[in-house]
Amino acid sequence: MTVYVRSLETAVPTTKLIQSEARDVFAAQPGLSRLGSRLVSTCFDSAAIETRYTAVQELTNTSRSENPQFYDQESGLLLNPSTKVRNDIFAREATKLFVEASRAALQAAPEFDLLDITHLVTVSCTGFFNPGPDYKVVRELGLNPAVQRYHLGFMGCYAAFPALRAAKLFCEADPNAVVLVVCAELCSLHVRTSNDPDTIMGSALFADGAAAAVVTARPDVAETALMKLDHFETVLTPVGEDSMAWNIGDNGFEMVLGNYVPHIIDDHIVGALQPLLAREPELAALPYAAITHWAIHPGGRSILDKVQSRLDLSDIQLVPARETLRNYGNMSSATVLFVLKHILEQPMEDGQPHGDGRICSMAFGPGLTVETGLFTKLRQPTAGAQGPGQEDTAENVELLPGRAPAEASLA
């Protein structure tokens, strides 16, 4: 049975952060040691990020708050709110992104009525509330109250893959199933000033965003679907459990992102790909670069560098991942879906109206976990759809009532 991604859409908050200006604010904090100040400059400058988006509107020079919780513009100080304060903002702001991305994905698949959705899978690792985002999406969009709901929480940057894999299994079990998958992350809620290298690296990399996909095996979508979901595999590397982690602290969630992670990926990426490519022996016999598209989760610039070098991929094959990182930063689970959307929006090659090659995709997360997927690109989205390759995405997405786009910077 062929399982299709009928639509894939993205959304980001309306507040844009400029990387160089964010660097200057973090570097100016009075509690930094001399080494900490140097690390801030190095991490921000080497991240290969130009802009990111945040749901924390007070992190701008245009939005004044009488009782600032994250950033006091008058003193220039970054504040350190409690986990409860951060999580309360997550419950409010993440709901907007979950709904916005979901609505966009459903509008991009107009042949489906809202009541056609049979399953809903929501994903996030940056906050908790209950009734959760699955409930909110059903209520806000008017889905069938009997829709089967599943929430994948606290898995990290690779969680879009278990969500898509679950959607594929639902569709294989029920040929009439239509599954809405939506990832939304507010990583910027957990940034803070610190002399800790892992915390500094997280502050330089992480951002907010959401992505949603409509997945189905109904044969009537074969002529309009964007890609096929072919195979998924999961591999745990033999080392790395202590090198990447995501813990809950008293003042937000705490990232462990050791500088040895790129080396672990360098050592184990070939072995992690073997189970996936073995599903199709003709691909396993080819050089990696023979696979047309690579949708790699841009966990950081050095990770992309290691993957490209180890697999001997071309600069062109890394463009979707590097442009996503440059324009949006690392949005945890949603990020690889931004990369996939970038690939889907690339023009089709002449003579190949039904696709220009396979897509090999991968993401990395705590454990160290490597999730991989093999897909087939079928066609581009319909004309007029906005994509993550466009720098003004925050102004192009369909906004919720009462939300106005605004570009600002942390300064």
Side-chain angles (χ1 to χ4, degrees):
M1 179 181 295
T2 302
V3 179
Y4 302 99
V5 171
R6 171 59 185 89
S7 64
L8 175 58
E9 297 295 331
T10 59
V12 292
T14 59
T15 301
K16 180 186 287 188
L17 301 180
I18 308 303
Q19 181 80 344
S20 60
E21 295 177 356
R23 174 204 62 206
D24 293 344
V25 169
F26 275 84
Q29 297 307 300
L32 284 180
S33 64
R34 183 175 300 176
L35 175 60
S37 181
R38 289 202 301 268
L39 284 174
V40 167
S41 296
T42 299
C43 289
F44 276 74
D45 289 343
S46 65
I49 295 171
E50 294 180 2
T51 56
R52 293 179 283 170
Y53 293 85
T54 177
V56 184
Q57 296 182 4
E58 69 183 50
L59 293 178
T60 72
N61 57 6
T62 59
S63 177
R64 297 286 176 178
S65 175
E66 293 183 0
N67 298 298
Q69 297 175 311
F70 287 82
Y71 178 55
D72 186 342
Q73 296 174 26
E74 292 186 2
S75 65
L77 293 178
L78 289 165
L79 308 178
N80 196 19
S82 68
T83 300
K84 182 182 186 308
V85 169
R86 299 175 196 258
N87 198 66
D88 286 348
I89 296 174
F90 174 85
R92 180 181 71 247
E93 297 299 328
T95 294
K96 298 176 184 178
L97 281 185
F98 272 109
V99 171
E100 187 171 326
S102 297
R103 179 178 289 127
L106 292 170
Q107 289 177 342
E111 67 270 32
F112 294 124
D113 184 87
L114 291 175
L115 298 181
D116 287 329
I117 302 301
T118 58
H119 300 71
L120 170 63
V121 183
T122 56
V123 179
S124 189
C125 69
T126 49
F128 302 93
F129 61 97
N130 201 1
D134 51 317
Y135 173 92
K136 296 293 187 180
V137 169
V138 170
R139 290 302 193 195
E140 292 287 336
L141 293 183
L143 302 183
N144 187 339
V147 65
Q148 296 186 36
R149 309 186 337 254
Y150 303 86
H151 181 70
L152 301 183
F154 222 65
M155 297 184 77
C157 293
Y158 63 82
F161 284 88
L164 290 174
R165 184 169 55 237
K168 185 173 187 290
L169 291 171
F170 294 149
C171 293
E172 290 171 340
D174 177 3
N176 291 315
V178 181
V179 186
L180 176 61
V181 174
V182 55
C183 304
E185 304 285 8
L186 301 189
C187 305
S188 71
L189 287 177
H190 304 290
V191 301
R192 61 177 65 80
T193 182
S194 173
N195 287 299
D196 176 69
D198 290 351
T199 303
I200 293 172
M201 180 61 71
S203 299
L205 285 175
F206 285 100
D208 303 348
V214 174
V215 179
T216 186
R218 292 188 181 183
D220 55 321
V221 307
E223 297 301 317
T224 55
L226 303 181
M227 70 178 184
K228 295 189 297 183
L229 299 179
D230 298 318
H231 309 292
F232 293 94
E233 292 290 343
T234 302
V235 171
L236 295 178
T237 61
V239 295
E241 181 177 351
D242 298 328
S243 297
M244 187 183 294
W246 190 225
N247 303 313
I248 299 177
D250 292 336
N251 296 97
F253 299 171
E254 299 168 352
M255 168 58 66
V256 176
L257 190 63
N259 58 13
Y260 194 63
V261 168
H263 301 284
I264 297 173
I265 292 173
D266 187 32
D267 290 341
H268 297 284
I269 189 62
V270 170
L273 278 173
Q274 286 177 346
L276 180 73
L277 298 182
R279 303 287 291 271
E280 298 193 16
E282 66 275 14
L283 289 179
L286 295 173
Y288 295 115
I291 299 174
T292 307
H293 301 292
W294 288 82
I296 303 166
H297 167 67
R301 180 193 55 78
S302 58
I303 289 176
L304 294 180
D305 290 346
K306 290 293 186 182
V307 171
Q308 180 175 7
S309 176
R310 176 62 67 179
L311 302 183
D312 196 25
L313 304 180
S314 69
D315 289 343
I316 292 176
Q317 288 172 306
L318 267 289
V319 164
R322 293 195 190 278
E323 286 197 356
T324 298
L325 181 65
R326 184 181 73 239
N327 295 328
Y328 298 95
N330 184 341
M331 300 165 286
S332 192
S333 68
T335 319
V336 74
L337 298 180
F338 276 67
V339 179
L340 280 168
K341 184 169 174 62
H342 190 293
I343 289 172
L344 293 173
E345 291 179 340
Q346 293 177 0
M348 311 296 269
E349 292 184 0
D350 292 340
Q352 295 182 342
H354 297 295
D356 59 353
R358 305 301 294 277
I359 303 172
C360 188
S361 186
M362 65 184 73
F364 321 98
L368 195 142
T369 301
V370 182
E371 287 277 354
T372 57
L374 192 62
F375 315 129
T376 302
K377 177 180 175 179
L378 299 175
R379 57 187 51 83
Q380 293 173 261
T382 55
Q386 303 296 339
Q390 300 173 345
E391 295 184 1
D392 292 330
T393 298
E395 297 185 10
N396 290 330
V397 296
E398 180 178 346
L399 303 176
L400 293 175
R403 296 185 68 194
E407 180 175 325
S409 59
L410 188 152

